[in-house]
Amino acid sequence: MSRVRADEEEYWHSSKFRAFTFDDEDDELSQLKESKRTVNSLRDIVDDDDDDLERVSWSGEPVGSISWSIKETASGSTSSLDGRDSSLQKGSSSYAALPKQGSSYSLSSLFKVESGLLHATQLCPSLSALSDTGVKSYAPELRRPRAEYKDYSSDWSPKDTVRRMQRGKVCSLERFRSLQDKLVLLDEAVAGHDGNVITAVLIFLKRTLRREILFRELEVRQVALCHLIHFLREMGEQKFLLDLLRFLDRTEEVALSQYREHLNIQDVEKRREFLKGCIGLPFSAEDTSHIQDHYTLLERQIIIEANDRHLEMAGQSELFRKYPRKASILNMPLVTTLFYSCFYHYTEAEGMFSSPTNLKKTFKIPDKQYVLTALAARAKLRAWGDVDALLTTKNWLGYTKKKAPIGFHRVVEILQRNNAPVQVLQEYVRLVEDVDTRLNLATKYKCHDVVIETYRDLKDRIQLTAYKDKVERGSAEEEKIHSILSNMVRNAYS
């Protein structure tokens, strides 16, 4: 009998598993290894074959039953972990298992208590009924380092709080209640040069301080002030931003912030009236001119849109029938409006609001921009006569010549993109002054006459002979090359 008792004592007082201790250790790696070893050892405790297990809830009710569903739903929002049993009721197979992923419970929720989070190894004796599947699913939760379970409401100093926030730790700022503590926290955040931390602290101050106090303190902290202004603009807190700018006496920024509100106005008539009211705001002289132009442009667009919509619906314009409008002209930029006018209203008199020359004069559009836009519009319509007239100028003696403020090389590129004929392209390729650029363009777009004439002017027999192989046999270009080479030979012997 004594031998049996000795065997029992030896069985209960011996274990092949290492016991857990709750003493803090400096070596976190050893803690992680110990947790991993404990999790792996659970596989030997739990039977691998869990097909015959009856899944039960914490109360012992079979999972999926009506009574279990009612109890779980009712207790989900009111019960806490302290009120639940720490062990499972035994089922028909004499033991129970934790619910798997289909249940609303997880192993991590088992370790939560109201005062914080306990380390997983503290509850290890209650894990003797875990299945192998549960161990694999929740092992990463068990291996989390103990440092992450510190109480977030600890008495951290402002400097330590900022450092923890920079490392991505969750910190409660509510304990900073006095104005002095809040300002010290803000100064530490600014000194840390972390924009996210500065913004987080500013949001806290914005919520807990009166506006006049916050504005007064930010006035002497320009870095934090710039962060708050940017944050308010991004979040669209227009009223708070305007109050701040008025306090700082930044009248021009107040006006610009009010002007930005037109972007939120969808109705075109209301937007026009709003812009009209913005003209009287205290802008700088340059900004006042831009606001005036914006209002004038929108007013013109409303008139043009109404007239063109009527013409398009009535079918009275051949141009609108052949090239239907793809979008409304309302709220379009000035360059888009100019292109539209050059496309649909190019020949109208200057006195008409939709005339391109009227737009050029009213908004003081530079010649370079006007020629570039008009050329693109008329080339798209393949109106080569208008292109020629656009690039032709007359001097005071009555002589005409071609002139392109944007450069003839860009003229050639625009014409080629709009599938201009070779004859039209050659006319403008010849006008390119730089020889290398002219040869490159002529070769690229197969303007053979320009290439041959350029080599002739350069008296380059070698290049002419080589280029003869690139033209079609028996063509006029080949005959022209033969004639030029023959004349070069005669001139050399004469």
Side-chain angles (χ1 to χ4, degrees), residues 3-61:
R3 183 175 181 179
V4 173
R5 176 176 292 276
D7 292 340
E8 290 180 355
E9 292 291 329
E10 182 181 359
Y11 174 80
W12 289 110
H13 290 286
S14 64
S15 174
K16 62 181 178 180
F17 303 115
R18 178 182 173 185
F20 288 93
T21 62
F22 300 104
D23 298 331
D24 292 337
E25 296 179 4
D26 295 332
D27 188 6
E28 293 186 0
L29 181 61
S30 63
Q31 298 178 27
L32 297 178
K33 289 181 178 180
E34 186 65 31
S35 298
K36 182 177 180 180
R37 191 180 301 111
T38 303
V39 172
N40 292 333
S41 67
L42 295 175
R43 299 177 182 178
D44 299 329
I45 300 176
V46 183
D47 187 10
D48 292 334
D49 187 10
D50 59 353
D51 293 338
D52 297 330
L53 295 180
E54 180 183 8
R55 300 176 62 195
V56 297
S57 68
W58 294 112
S59 59
E61 295 288 341

Side-chain angles (χ1 to χ4, degrees), residues 87-153:
S87 62
L88 302 177
Q89 300 291 335
K90 292 186 178 180
S92 59
S93 56
S94 75
Y95 63 95
L98 281 174
K100 298 183 181 180
Q101 296 180 3
S103 172
S104 61
Y105 291 98
S106 66
L107 188 59
S108 60
S109 65
L110 176 63
F111 298 143
K112 294 181 181 177
V113 294
E114 293 181 358
S115 62
L117 296 174
L118 293 177
H119 197 275
T121 57
Q122 296 177 356
L123 297 178
C124 188
S126 65
L127 303 178
S128 58
L130 282 176
S131 65
D132 185 58
T133 305
V135 172
K136 291 181 180 178
S137 300
Y138 300 108
E141 186 73 19
L142 291 172
R143 292 196 295 267
R144 292 177 64 184
R146 185 178 299 176
E148 294 189 12
Y149 296 99
K150 288 185 178 180
D151 187 4
Y152 293 131
S153 62

